């Protein structure tokens, strides 16, 4: 939801549906703020604060409603040093946290970063490094969902080598528990025991993330001596979702649906490893890319300073739209309110997928709603005012939109458009799969606008759309287009079938 006042806070990274092509997060950290509930030493006050926890000491940092805990390097290198970040309430943020040192505290205290909001409330955890892991037989999860009754977004986090749970977020789904939900975006989870990422409440989802387990020998055992390094685990409830994730697990379960009736859906994912239990597969293939997402910090110092980096740990700087040349099927859609508008709403539906853009003056916010309709479409809604707006990355086609054009300016792919120009309700599919080795060429003319549609068919160099004319060639494949108006003329040479669906 875009804020209706001038004090809008913009966030520092963007979400694309293909995690291989993210915009890169700025490397400069905000000024250091005082530690919550702790004395500390300052390494560089202009960048981040270092908190060194002495041997055998456990320290708790409480973060309540409206508070932000950020730009901290928490050093637990000393023997038996441990920490907890305990979040509560609504509107809190935990940001730019790097944990240095391997956790070797074997007490019965569960969890390090507790991700929990009050019922109806929200919280945000972003840019966190928990990649130094835990020693053998330590009973701590890196991220814990215990007590969450609201919705918590966790993004750009690195969790690796934890012996008893990487991201344990299913507990609110246990019958009688708090029922809070989670969105995990752009996580890098590697070689964690029991599960790398586990969700368990209906409406929770994992997006654009990488999970990699190099085999049982690469993980440390939990407090009971067990090793069972699942990749993604859908547990407790149904309606769980993983979208556009890369999962590779050697010698163990890559994705599991089960445990008190847990069930989930893999959508547009690449998986190498076994898929077991109650898991629905939608466009799931092999050959995952387990390179860490570019927005994920690769060291404790980088996280504390607000930096992200590639697999070599180098930091990155923001890119421009030109750097996204590999993302032709993903388009930025912006909605900007008029300066004199107050609390104006919008809603649009996409046949395909949508991800929030979280960078820039017109970034989307946590409260903006993206609802999966269960039929291949998603509906997005939000509120804006005072010249602010929201923006989203769209993969697919916008099939409906409800806005007052007198108070909203719409931009699609950087160009200002009207609702009539934007919404292309009709489908044209040229399908040659009945003759896999035969060539079909075609030309169609439509009275309105037309666009290639990667969700309806392939997109290649032979396809062209210009001034209402569609032309292309297929060899045993399928091409798809969206258009408005009517088909006014066509020619086709070859055995392919043609399907036209007019929804206008």
């Amino acid at each position: 939801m875009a804020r209706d006042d001038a004090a809008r806070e913009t966030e520092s990274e963007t979400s694309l549906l293909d995690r291989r092509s993210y915009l890169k997060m700025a490397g400069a950290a905000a000024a250091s703020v005082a530690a919550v509930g702790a004395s500390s030493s300052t390494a560089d006050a202009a960048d981040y604060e270092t908190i060194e926890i002495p041997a055998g000491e456990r320290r708790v940092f409480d973060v309540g409603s409206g508070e932000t805990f950020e730009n901290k390097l928490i050093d637990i290198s000393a023997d038996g040093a441990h920490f907890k970040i305990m979040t509560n309430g609504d509107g809190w943020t935990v940001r730019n946290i790097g944990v240095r040192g391997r956790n070797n505290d074997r007490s019965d205290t569960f969890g390090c970063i507790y991700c929990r909001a009050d019922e109806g409330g929200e919280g945000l955890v972003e840019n966190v490094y928990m990649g130094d892991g835990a020693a053998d037989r330590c009973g701590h999860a890196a991220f814990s969902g215990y007590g969450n009754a609201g919705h918590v977004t966790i993004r750009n986090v690195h969790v690796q080598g934890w012996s008893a749970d990487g991201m344990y977020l299913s507990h609110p789904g246990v019958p009688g528990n708090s029922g809070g939900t989670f969105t995990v975006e752009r996580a890098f989870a590697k070689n964690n025991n029991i599960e790398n990422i586990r969700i368990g409440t209906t409406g929770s989802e994992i997006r654009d993330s990488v999970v990699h387990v190099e085999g049982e020998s690469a993980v440390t055992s939990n407090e009971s001596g067990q090793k069972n390094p699942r990749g993604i685990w859908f547990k407790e409830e149904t309606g769980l979702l993983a979208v556009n994730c890369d999962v590779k697990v050697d010698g163990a379960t890559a994705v599991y649906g089960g445990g008190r009736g847990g069930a989930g859906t893999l959508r547009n994912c690449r998986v190498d490893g076994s898929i077991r239990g109650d898991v629905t597969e939608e466009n799931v293939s092999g050959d995952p890319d387990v390179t860490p997402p570019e927005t994920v910090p690769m060291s404790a110092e980088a996280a504390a300073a607000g930096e992200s980096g590639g697999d070599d740990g180098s930091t990155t700087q923001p890119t421009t739209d030109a750097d996204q040349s590999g993302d032709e099927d993903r388009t930025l859609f912006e909605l900007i309110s008029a300066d004199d508008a107050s609390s104006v709403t919008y809603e649009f539906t996409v046949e395909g997928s949508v991800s929030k853009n979280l960078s820039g003056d017109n970034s989307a916010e946590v409260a903006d709603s993206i609802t999966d309709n269960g039929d291949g479409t998603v509906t997005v809604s939000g509120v804006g005012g005072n010249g602010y707006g929201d923006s989203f990355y769209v993969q697919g086609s916008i099939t409906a939109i409800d806005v007052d054009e007198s108070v909203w300016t719409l931009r699609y792919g950087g160009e200002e458009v009207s609702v009539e120009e934007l919404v292309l309700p009709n489908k044209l599919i040229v399908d040659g799969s009945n003759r896999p080795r035969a060539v079909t060429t075609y030309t169609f003319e439509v009275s309105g606008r037309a666009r290639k549609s990667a969700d309806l068919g392939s997109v290649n160099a032979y396809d062209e759309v210009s001034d209402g004319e569609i032309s292309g060639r297929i060899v045993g494949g399928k091409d798809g287009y969206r258009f408005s108006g009517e088909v006014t003329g066509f020619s086709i040479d070859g055995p392919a079938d043609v399907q036209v669906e007019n929804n206008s």
Side-chain angles (χ1 to χ4, degrees), residues 2 41 52 124-125 130 153 180 269 287 316 325-326 343 403 406 430 433-434:
S41 61
E52 296 183 1
L124 173 63
V125 178
M130 300 277 283
T153 298
C269 293
D287 193 26
T316 57
S325 56
S343 297
V403 296
S406 67
V430 184
S433 56
N434 60 330

Side-chain angles (χ1 to χ4, degrees), residues 64-88:
S65 292
E67 294 183 341
T68 297
F69 184 66
E70 64 183 343
N71 297 106
K72 309 295 182 188
L73 192 154
I74 301 174
D75 192 329
I76 58 170
S77 301
D79 185 39
H82 186 61
F83 79 100
K84 284 178 177 291
I85 296 176
M86 306 293 286
T87 58
N88 291 281

Side-chain angles (χ1 to χ4, degrees), residues 100-134:
R100 183 169 62 197
R102 198 177 193 203
N103 178 60
N104 67 354
D105 176 28
R106 291 181 172 85
S107 72
D108 60 357
T109 305
F110 185 84
C112 292
I113 299 180
Y114 281 70
C115 308
R116 56 192 189 182
D118 289 349
E119 184 175 358
E122 296 183 337
L124 173 63
V125 178
E126 62 180 350
N127 207 54
V128 175
Y129 177 84
M130 300 277 283
D132 289 355

Side-chain angles (χ1 to χ4, degrees), residues 24 158 291-299 308-316:
K24 300 171 184 177
H158 182 151
T291 306
E294 291 186 354
T295 51
V296 170
M298 299 305 295
S299 70
S308 59
D311 56 4
D312 61 353
S314 60
T315 59
T316 57

Side-chain angles (χ1 to χ4, degrees), residues 410-471:
L410 309 178
R411 293 179 186 156
Y412 189 80
E415 296 183 5
E416 187 171 329
V417 295
S418 65
V419 169
E420 182 180 3
E421 292 171 323
L422 183 65
V423 177
L424 303 179
N426 305 324
K427 302 177 183 179
L428 169 64
I429 299 173
V430 184
D431 187 356
S433 56
N434 60 330
R435 295 285 298 277
R437 297 182 181 178
V439 177
T440 297
T441 59
Y442 58 86
T443 300
F444 287 84
E445 296 176 358
V446 298
S447 60
R449 293 166 58 88
R451 235 184 355 251
K452 299 178 186 180
S453 178
D455 55 312
L456 297 179
S458 64
V459 176
N460 56 61
Y462 291 100
D463 304 333
E464 294 184 5
V465 178
S466 178
D467 297 327
E469 182 175 283
I470 300 167
S471 62

Side-chain angles (χ1 to χ4, degrees), residues 38-365:
S39 61
S40 60
S41 61
T42 301
D44 185 345
D47 294 325
Y48 57 82
E49 182 179 29
T50 296
I51 303 170
E52 296 183 1
I53 300 180
E57 182 175 324
R58 282 178 279 166
R59 193 169 297 179
V60 177
F61 307 98
D62 292 309
V63 184
S65 292
E67 294 183 341
T68 297
F69 184 66
E70 64 183 343
N71 297 106
K72 309 295 182 188
L73 192 154
I74 301 174
D75 192 329
I76 58 170
S77 301
D79 185 39
H82 186 61
F83 79 100
K84 284 178 177 291
I85 296 176
M86 306 293 286
T87 58
N88 291 281
D90 179 28
W92 54 261
T93 298
V94 173
R95 176 189 292 132
N96 300 341
I97 305 299
V99 179
R100 183 169 62 197
R102 198 177 193 203
N103 178 60
N104 67 354
D105 176 28
R106 291 181 172 85
S107 72
D108 60 357
T109 305
F110 185 84
C112 292
I113 299 180
Y114 281 70
C115 308
R116 56 192 189 182
D118 289 349
E119 184 175 358
E122 296 183 337
L124 173 63
V125 178
E126 62 180 350
N127 207 54
V128 175
Y129 177 84
M130 300 277 283
D132 289 355
D136 192 57
R137 293 179 178 266
C138 282
H140 300 283
F143 295 88
S144 172
Y146 270 64
N148 178 35
H151 183 79
V152 177
T153 298
I154 305 171
R155 70 167 71 100
N156 296 336
V157 297
H158 182 151
V159 53
Q160 182 172 173
W162 286 79
S163 56
D165 308 297
M167 302 183 73
Y168 183 15
L169 308 177
S170 64
H171 193 261
V174 174
N177 281 0
S178 50
T181 55
F182 295 90
T183 298
V184 178
E185 300 175 342
R186 304 189 298 279
F188 178 59
K190 184 175 182 180
N191 293 340
N192 299 290
N193 196 14
I194 310 303
E195 82 284 321
N196 280 261
I197 307 176
R198 186 199 305 184
I199 54 176
T201 42
T202 301
S204 294
E205 58 186 18
I206 306 164
R207 291 183 173 271
D208 311 321
S209 296
V210 175
V211 177
H212 186 200
V213 179
E214 296 174 309
E216 186 176 285
S217 62
V219 303
T220 54
S221 63
N222 69 356
E223 67 275 19
S224 300
Q226 297 172 326
K227 289 186 179 184
N228 192 1
R230 305 168 185 89
I232 289 175
W233 188 352
F234 300 127
K235 192 182 180 187
E236 312 298 353
E237 296 184 352
T238 61
L240 309 174
L241 182 64
V243 180
N244 199 50
C245 295
D246 292 87
V247 184
K248 179 178 173 62
V249 176
D250 298 328
T253 302
V255 181
Y256 178 53
R260 296 191 183 93
T265 298
L266 292 176
R267 180 175 300 151
N268 300 331
C269 293
R270 280 89 32 207
V271 179
D272 183 353
S274 64
I275 299 175
R276 299 175 48 239
D278 198 344
V279 179
T280 301
E281 299 179 43
E282 299 177 1
N283 190 30
V284 175
S285 63
D287 193 26
D289 177 1
V290 293
T291 306
E294 291 186 354
T295 51
V296 170
M298 299 305 295
S299 70
E301 292 77 10
E307 298 173 348
S308 59
D311 56 4
D312 61 353
S314 60
T315 59
T316 57
Q317 296 298 322
T319 63
T320 65
D321 290 345
D323 295 313
Q324 304 171 49
S325 56
D327 276 337
E328 289 85 357
D329 59 337
R330 298 166 180 84
T331 305
L332 183 65
F333 178 41
E334 303 169 272
L335 306 95
I336 302 102
S337 68
D339 290 339
D340 58 354
S342 177
S343 297
V344 287
T345 62
Y346 64 83
E347 182 176 282
F348 64 93
T349 298
V350 172
E351 186 170 303
S353 301
V354 175
S355 182
K356 295 176 182 178
N357 172 33
L358 298 170
S359 177
D361 290 339
N362 295 310
S363 61
E365 294 182 338

